[in-house]
Amino acid sequence: MVFDVVETLMSLAPLQSRFADVGLTDALAERWFDRLLRDGIALTAAGDYQPFPVVAAAALRTLARGELDDDAAAYVMAGFGELPAHADAEPAMQTLADAGISMACLSNGTAEATTDFLVRTNLRRYVDQVISVAEVSSWKPASLVYTHAARAIGRAADELALVAVHAFDCHSAKRAGWTTGWASRTDGHYAEIFAPADVVGADLVDVVTRLLTPA
């Protein structure tokens, strides 16, 4: 079982207070994450790559219309080092551990930041492997990311399942031959333009329980 990290396991909600602290509205926090995803994916589509922290800081400065100084931008970005796990993350992982299922994380973020998050939130003990898109210099949902992850884990595509709250992530993993599980916690609706996830649940516990249940 392979988990997406940002928004799937990691909650971005506490960043809103940091946006307010530097004079930005809380509403910009959601726009910021959408923008950094767009920009990272756009770079990949153009055949280029920049790591998550660089793209995130650039998106932040753009939303602030270039009026955010380096100290303020660094203050907001430092909030990533304090972000908590969603309440359903550990119960979902415990459910999988009890079933003898191995787990990995696949993130657009850096391996270092992902590992720090897992350690800080006591989730590291469940995760056998952390894989970053930096290893192939392409953001999800580029197909080579999933091919690389399967190779790194040492499993065939049909032996892997991705758990995520992003429909685009599930779409691309499914196109790569993976099983997919989507939690509606964040978006509430799975866009019809994407290949349907194999399993849909209200939260991560619901999703992994359904994935473990024989069809």
Side-chain angles (χ1 to χ4, degrees):
M1 205 75 68
V2 182
F3 285 91
D4 171 54
V5 179
V6 183
E7 286 199 313
T8 297
L9 297 177
M10 176 191 289
S11 172
L12 298 179
L15 286 178
Q16 292 179 353
S17 64
R18 287 185 177 251
F19 273 69
D21 290 343
V22 299
L24 302 176
T25 65
D26 290 357
L28 280 182
E30 185 171 351
R31 286 188 59 201
W32 165 72
F33 185 66
D34 289 343
R35 178 141 197 150
L36 79 87
L37 275 180
R38 186 205 72 177
D39 291 352
I41 293 169
L43 285 168
T44 293
D48 298 309
Y49 174 77
Q50 290 289 341
F52 188 99
V54 174
V55 178
L60 181 61
R61 292 189 181 93
T62 300
L63 286 176
R65 307 186 74 83
E67 297 177 358
L68 202 65
D69 64 33
D70 289 345
D71 288 343
Y75 171 75
V76 174
M77 292 299 298
F80 262 98
E82 301 175 358
L83 293 177
H86 282 287
D88 55 348
E90 183 165 10
M93 288 186 166
Q94 185 63 62
T95 297
L96 293 172
D98 290 344
I101 304 297
S102 60
M103 287 164 264
C105 286
L106 175 61
S107 181
N108 279 327
T110 66
E112 295 78 10
T114 300
T115 299
D116 287 347
F117 162 74
L118 293 172
V119 170
R120 186 177 69 254
T121 57
N122 296 317
L123 298 177
R124 185 67 181 91
R125 66 186 185 275
Y126 297 106
V127 177
D128 297 321
Q129 198 166 356
V130 171
I131 303 165
S132 169
V133 299
E135 295 166 23
V136 289
S137 297
S138 292
W139 283 53
K140 289 189 290 178
S143 60
L144 80 164
V145 172
Y146 306 92
T147 301
H148 168 74
R151 187 180 303 116
I153 295 168
R155 295 280 187 173
D158 61 5
E159 296 178 296
L160 297 169
L162 178 78
V163 177
V165 297
H166 302 123
F168 73 83
D169 204 355
C170 290
H171 172 91
S172 297
K174 188 167 184 178
R175 287 288 182 252
W178 296 27
T179 298
T180 56
W182 178 75
S184 64
R185 169 178 16 90
T186 299
D187 290 343
H189 176 74
Y190 194 99
E192 295 83 358
I193 59 173
F194 296 122
D198 295 288
V199 162
V200 171
D203 59 24
L204 300 184
V205 176
D206 192 11
V207 167
V208 302
T209 300
R210 291 170 185 264
L211 286 170
L212 290 172
T213 303

